[in-house]
Amino acid sequence: MKRKIITIISAASVLAGILFFIIINSDSDEYRVIFFDVGQGDSILIDGPENFQILIDGGPDNTVIQKLGQYLPFYDRTIELVILTHPDADHVTGLVEVLERYQVKTIMDTEVLATNDAYVRLRELIRQKSIEEIIGQQGKELRIPGEGVLKVLYPIENVSGREFKDINSTSLVARFEVGQHSFLFTGDLPKEGESELISTRQSLKADVLKVGHHGSKYSTSPAFVKAIDPAIAVIQVGEKNHFGHPDKSILELLSDYGSQVVRTDQAGDILIDCGNLRVKTKKSIDSN
Ligand SMILES: [Zn+2]
């Protein structure tokens, strides 16, 4: 009898533990944006209330799977929206495994012509799994839980099926707004694209800028920084990469402008609370 009671009590406490985990992990009514440290590449998670998630790019390998496992509750196997900014390997590769392992409801992609293995496989999976597709171009606007809005600002035209010499120039640029704050995600858009974007007179103002092209000198013109006026600039870049990213001139430009610069090669994963814009880094979390 005594043993039975102990069994019941321990089963109940396990259950209570699971319920507690579910309660604390769901629905904070607030968004956070996590810039994953995936080495030399981009992968960003917008994590919202009601277990709503947007994943922007997948990085150069399968590190993104480990990151999603770390930040999503174990029972959440659905990603509501995946956005591919452009199909270069350091952005698309990890998404293949994401589509294999998670239930992805919708994918937004410019559908620009590209023939690398990862992108070809991604397109196959989209077909096989009948994932809903949205062609990303200026004017697309999605309303998301908790009064969030995601607006596509670039490319200006539909580039679906078209071939480009410089695929970076087709990067999907999106502005995410929630509450009082906004984030600008720029993929690897070069300076020419930035000028074009400025000339559209769309509002570029954002509290947080995902710095274009891993901080290379081919992106982030002074006029672009001025139009965005970011308090925080995040650079997703690999430690000791062969490209010399981020470029010194870009770091100087951003700090002269007064932006707080945070880099994944130095800080690890970067978490920004969308309510108060507090920046936490993987390293500061580990040392707590
Ligand atoms: Zn890139």
Side-chain angles (χ1 to χ4, degrees), residues 29 31 145-149 176-183 207 274-275:
D29 249 347
Y31 276 88
E147 315 270 302
V149 187
F176 168 61
E177 297 164 16
V178 68
Q180 300 299 307
H181 296 126
S182 52
F183 289 66
D207 299 289
C274 299

Side-chain angles (χ1 to χ4, degrees), residues 86 90-91 188 213-214:
H86 65 300
D90 57 324
H91 298 254
D188 284 354
H213 198 210
H214 323 286

